[in-house]
Amino acid sequence: MEKLLIRGGKTLTGEINCSGAKNAALPVIAASLLTDDDVVLQNLPHLQDITTMFELINSMGAEISLDENMFFKIKTSNIKSFEARYELVKTMRASILVLGSMTAKFGKAKIALPGGCAIGTRPVNYHLDALKKLGADISLTNGYIEAKAKRLKGADIKLGGITVTGTENIMMAATLAEGITTLTNVAKEPEVVDLANFLNGMGAKIYGAGTDSIRIEGVASLKGCQYEIPPDRIEAGTYLIAAALTNGSIKINKIGPDRLTTVIQKLEECGAEIKSSNNSIDLKMTNEIISPVNITTGPFPGFPTDMQAQFTVLNAIASGKSFVNEEVFENRFMHVQELNRMGADILTNGSAATINGVKHLQGAQVMATDLRASACLILAGLVAKGETKVDRIYHIDRGYERIEEKLSSLGADIQRIPN
Ligand code: EPU
């Protein structure tokens, strides 16, 4: 199994481009099932999760091709299967995103129920309850969710809890429902707004995405469109932290600061100087000493849970004590044990971590447990003394495009090795 070998201690400097956002691309691909016309997508990141989503819709009959501009064309007019098999769903929970679009467009969907995962139990009850309120008949049989509906009907729905993919699923379903849907207690993440923009480009009538309440006026059909996947704020945030950790100075192009306001604020508290334009973010560490910063994760505009593990590395080598509260997932501290093996001093208690900053981390063999935990271990390797080998890096390939190439271009000593 491939590993990443990192020799720590290099200062990162230079420029990179931000890739398209995985978590914006996945719902957009699922939404392409809502039309019989072709959909053309630009700036799709080359990631395992995107390949898995393509495999999923391909197994239903969608055809995917690359055009002369290297844009992806999705042709959905030949869908003949309405099932998302367990083999695919178990490798990517975001497969649940086809539930809303399939039910709305075809009146039926059979999707394997995603199980728990390394970061928590992650049920989908809010998705199912809301889909029922739109009139779908939902049953759970043999590990599969089966949804059936003649035509969904608009309704006033308060989601059972704030959920990103749940908000996206129900927004997709309601576009083709009869009448008006009002969704409250919704997620306000930028990727929810991105999906609404894509759907509106297809002819949907969605208002208020990114605010507390989303209004969707159902339409009879949607048309194809061309759409550019927006930049990945979590990827950008991860590289900003890499630069801050190594006392570096980097510029990230193709992303502005708006999607990263909270993360930028926390990096500034750590001692980084950040300047941005509409289409770039520059970070320079002005001081070798990193100030400890307390973090509490929360739904957008709160501090993103997808940046918690990476930020923990900054705190691990900061000049004092800090506290991290993980409020979104119940079990997202799996990286802590590995960081402690590298010399960090972190104590967890339920959803809270107390971090006593140490002077140095030491290289070690470590094991990634999920996508963001693997990013955290790579960051730790970049700043540790000696060699770090990160195992199970298939997690990183799910969500970071060419990470070792991008980091090498900034001066890191990192390579992919066979064993
Ligand atoms: N929840 C429920 N019931 C539901 C849905 C969610 O109890 O029906 C709970 C979850 O267990 C969790 C909380 O609500 O405790 C929030 O989960 P949410 O549904 O918002 O997460 P998600 O939609 O499954 C997306 C991202 C995650 C990101 C979270 C939170 C995608 C494809 N995934 O997941 O991204 O961590 O929102 O921001 O958009 C990642 O990229 O590494 C990743 C895990």
Side-chain angles (χ1 to χ4, degrees):
M1 213 185 286
E2 287 185 321
K3 294 184 176 55
L4 283 173
L5 171 66
I6 306 157
R7 294 185 185 92
K10 300 275 194 258
T11 296
L12 299 197
T13 53
E15 279 185 40
I16 49 169
N17 289 333
C18 186
S19 297
K22 165 179 89 74
N23 290 348
L26 293 171
V28 161
I29 298 172
S32 67
L33 298 173
L34 287 162
T35 175
D36 289 330
D37 297 342
D38 295 350
V39 163
V40 176
L41 300 179
Q42 294 170 238
N43 200 34
L44 262 186
H46 297 277
L47 298 171
Q48 185 53 46
D49 273 11
I50 302 297
T51 308
T52 305
M53 195 53 134
F54 275 158
E55 270 181 54
L56 176 61
I57 63 167
N58 182 247
S59 73
M60 294 170 174
E63 292 161 38
I64 296 126
S65 56
L66 259 181
D67 74 10
E68 62 282 6
N69 300 311
M70 301 301 280
F71 299 163
F72 280 89
K73 188 160 97 179
I74 306 177
K75 188 177 164 57
T76 52
S77 49
N78 293 326
I79 298 281
K80 47 194 171 303
S81 156
F82 308 97
E83 182 172 331
R85 286 174 293 114
Y86 179 62
E87 289 68 41
L88 287 168
V89 177
K90 77 174 179 198
T91 65
M92 189 186 67
R93 300 179 44 83
S95 310
I96 190 71
L97 281 165
V98 297
L99 177 66
S101 50
M102 302 281 298
T103 312
K105 177 72 171 37
F106 305 107
K108 54 185 161 187
K110 185 175 172 189
I111 319 280
L113 192 59
C117 73
I119 62 177
T121 50
R122 303 184 75 182
V124 290
N125 52 325
Y126 306 151
H127 305 228
L128 302 185
D129 290 347
L131 205 52
K132 279 183 202 160
K133 289 189 181 135
L134 289 176
D137 186 10
I138 308 263
S139 57
L140 299 178
T141 330
N142 304 119
Y144 278 78
I145 303 162
E146 283 197 62
K148 288 192 185 128
K150 277 218 171 80
R151 183 174 179 199
L152 296 174
K153 287 207 166 48
D156 288 344
I157 302 170
K158 181 177 179 199
L159 290 171
I162 296 182
T163 160
V164 176
T165 50
T167 303
E168 293 167 345
N169 237 336
I170 303 310
M171 206 164 70
M172 285 188 259
T175 55
L176 291 182
E178 190 185 332
I180 294 170
T181 299
T182 310
L183 281 181
T184 49
N185 204 27
V186 288
K188 294 182 270 196
E189 266 64 5
E191 294 75 21
V192 171
V193 181
D194 297 335
L195 175 65
N197 290 339
F198 172 69
L199 291 165
N200 285 340
M202 296 170 89
K205 293 188 174 163
I206 303 175
Y207 309 93
T211 72
D212 291 325
S213 162
I214 304 178
R215 176 184 163 94
I216 304 141
E217 295 171 8
V219 295
S221 64
L222 293 173
K223 56 185 170 44
C225 73
Q226 180 160 336
Y227 181 77
E228 181 173 342
I229 303 297
D232 193 320
R233 62 193 167 105
I234 306 300
E235 187 204 33
T238 303
Y239 286 103
L240 291 177
I241 292 179
L245 276 170
T246 60
N247 204 26
S249 160
I250 68 164
K251 178 173 191 177
I252 306 185
N253 297 312
K254 296 193 171 182
I255 185 165
D258 302 359
R259 292 170 179 252
L260 277 159
T261 313
T262 328
V263 173
I264 287 176
Q265 201 185 320
K266 292 289 178 185
L267 280 165
E268 285 172 337
E269 281 179 44
C270 279
E273 187 183 296
I274 298 184
K275 290 193 183 129
S276 353
S277 74
N278 280 346
N279 205 25
S280 68
I281 307 175
D282 275 82
L283 178 144
K284 191 170 181 247
M285 213 47 195
T286 45
N287 192 329
E288 273 193 33
I289 294 169
I290 298 169
S291 304
V293 169
N294 297 336
I295 297 286
T296 297
T297 65
F300 193 85
F303 189 89
T305 173
D306 289 344
M307 293 294 316
Q308 180 260 109
Q310 301 90 314
F311 215 95
T312 300
V313 186
L314 269 173
N315 277 328
I317 57 161
S319 62
K321 192 182 221 162
S322 58
F323 301 96
V324 171
N325 283 302
E326 172 52 60
E327 300 282 333
V328 179
F329 291 109
E330 71 266 32
N331 188 27
R332 210 172 195 181
F333 281 133
M334 300 278 275
H335 46 284
V336 164
Q337 295 315 318
E338 296 301 279
L339 287 178
N340 283 346
R341 292 185 52 249
M342 295 177 77
D345 178 358
I346 309 175
L347 201 72
T348 58
N349 183 5
S351 63
T354 306
I355 306 168
N356 290 301
V358 295
K359 281 222 160 69
H360 305 288
L361 296 177
Q362 303 137 27
Q365 286 204 22
V366 287
M367 204 158 69
T369 47
D370 71 78
L371 170 56
R372 307 305 170 187
S374 45
C376 144
L377 297 176
I378 292 170
L379 293 178
L382 292 175
V383 75
K385 287 191 169 210
E387 274 189 10
T388 295
K389 267 190 203 165
V390 185
D391 202 351
R392 299 204 178 163
I393 55 166
Y394 50 84
H395 290 295
I396 202 89
D397 294 330
R398 292 186 47 203
Y400 288 86
E401 192 174 53
R402 299 181 288 109
I403 193 165
E404 69 272 29
E405 273 179 47
K406 286 195 182 185
L407 285 171
S408 298
S409 77
L410 295 170
D413 184 344
I414 177 169
Q415 64 191 110
R416 196 174 279 251
I417 53 170
N419 235 311

